[in-house]
């Protein structure tokens, strides 16, 4: 995801405040008639419930936002505020999250949806929605991700050597739309299979170093379809405490779909979650992406972002192939507060025959977690990488 933001408003205030309704007393008399009068007089004598001002209402909302609500068909919450990022500078962001079941039963995994938007002083504008819709008895599921953004971006060219050269840093304006939808049916137990579809449109303009594009067009449309296989035994998708998630997608971008650049892509994700000591979760992530054919510049595998290799500028290192991994410790500290620390590494390369261990990039960082909804965390991460790269990231749900 493209959010590099810092959460600074209201969340901590919600940890320290709570609001309680006044308790009303009742007086009982010996006779029925006196009891009615006494009860009425008692009610009239009590002060009216305190009316909360706007600030108190906001604090009360955050204080109660993570309480489980099993009777609610759709448990939804929203949060927003100013933030600062070394990449996008000062901005105003809003993030919302909801969990629900299409049918109220204990067999069906909770579905989830997240909606987010952001605007900053650098001209970065973003709106998006992503989620996992689980059908009754887990027979079918739809995994989706959509976002539209415009951003004055930096560009270093293609390949590790170009990305590693600070002198190649250039700028351009980027307008992009990305859609990905997986349509899956349960094959057995936790195994799902189905069709994956995708659409990507990008338009780059005002390149300060257009030669780094190697003559490629600045506007590119990429449409794909393919097959997806998913194994998912996670106990809760937005914030798993145990289980395994494995996904492999084989996507095709043929000319018949309107692609001027035909190519194919194989990608996989392997995640593992395990409880450690009290309040601790160990999470492991391995991700690979391998493109073959005439791959346009914007569809190359890009290292960095809000979920992996956090702290690297997304797209500084890009090539046909990518492998990256991370190991994260998530520790609950007190009430709704927690921390996370991680280490990771990644490598971009044009083909397996040209893979170079010396081009492996390190990554590490630390983050703060605040439980916004029940088991749904807001996260503020600060990641570090090679050549002094670092950055704040603010998002909802865990990175993986």
């Amino acid at each position: 995801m493209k959010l590099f933001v810092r959460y600074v408003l209201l969340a901590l205030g919600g940890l320290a405040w709570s609001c309680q309704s006044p308790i009303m007393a009742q007086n009982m008399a010996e006779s029925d008639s006196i009891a009615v009068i006494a009860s009425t007089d008692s009610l009239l004598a009590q002060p009216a419930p305190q009316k909360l001002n706007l600030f108190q209402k906001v604090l009360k909302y955050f204080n109660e936002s993570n309480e489980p609500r099993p009777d609610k068909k759709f448990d939804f919450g929203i949060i927003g505020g100013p933030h600062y990022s070394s990449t996008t500078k000062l901005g105003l962001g809003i993030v919302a999250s909801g969990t629900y079941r299409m049918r109220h039963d204990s067999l069906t995994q909770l579905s989830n949806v997240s909606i987010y938007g952001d605007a900053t002083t650098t001209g970065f504008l973003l709106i998006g929605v992503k989620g996992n819709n689980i059908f009754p008895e887990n027979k079918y599921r739809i995994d989706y991700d959509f976002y539209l953004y415009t951003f004055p971006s930096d560009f270093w060219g293609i390949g590790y050597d170009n990305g590693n050269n600070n002198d190649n840093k250039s700028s351009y304006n980027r307008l992009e739309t990305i859609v990905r939808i997986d349509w899956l049916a349960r094959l057995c137990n936790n195994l799902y299979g189905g069709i994956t579809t995708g659409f990507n449109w990008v338009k780059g303009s005002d390149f300060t170093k257009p030669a780094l594009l190697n003559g490629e067009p600045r506007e590119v449309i990429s449409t794909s379809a393919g097959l997806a296989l998913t194994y998912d035994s996670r106990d809760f998708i937005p914030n798993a405490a145990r289980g395994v998630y494995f996904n492999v997608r084989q996507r095709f971008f043929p000319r018949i779909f309107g692609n001027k650049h035909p190519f194919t892509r194989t990608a996989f994700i392997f995640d593992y979650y395990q409880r450690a000591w009290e309040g601790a979760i160990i999470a492991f992530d391995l991700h690979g992406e391998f493109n073959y054919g005439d791959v346009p510049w914007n569809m190359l595998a890009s290292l960095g972002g809000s979920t992996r290799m956090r702290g690297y500028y997304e797209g500084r290192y890009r090539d046909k192939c990518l492998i990256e991994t991370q190991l994260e410790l998530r520790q609950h500290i007190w009430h709704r507060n927690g921390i996370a620390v991680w280490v990771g590494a990644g490598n971009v390369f044009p083909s397996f025959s040209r893979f170079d261990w010396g081009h492996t990039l390190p990554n590490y960082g630390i983050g703060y977690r605040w439980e916004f909804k029940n088991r749904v965390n807001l996260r503020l991460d600060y990641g570090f990488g090679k050549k002094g790269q670092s950055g704040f990231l603010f998002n909802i749900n865990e990175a993986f």
Side-chain angles (χ1 to χ4, degrees), residues 6 8 12 30 34 45 61 66 88 90 102 104 159 163 206 212 224-225 262 268 273 300 318 321 331 363 365 391:
R6 188 177 184 181
V8 295
L12 292 179
E30 294 182 356
I34 296 177
Y61 167 73
N66 73 323
T88 59
L90 184 65
M102 296 188 67
H104 193 72
D206 301 326
L212 293 173
S224 69
F268 75 87
Y273 308 88
L300 292 167
R318 65 176 71 205
C321 302
Q331 177 67 60
N363 180 229

Side-chain angles (χ1 to χ4, degrees), residues 61-62 65 76-80 94-97 115 372-373 396:
Y61 167 73
F62 284 116
S65 65
F76 187 77
I78 188 169
I79 188 171
I94 186 169
V95 184
S97 176
I115 303 171
F372 170 49
K373 306 292 290 182
I396 198 163

Side-chain angles (χ1 to χ4, degrees), residues 26 75 172 304 385:
Q26 295 185 350
D75 187 7
Y172 72 105

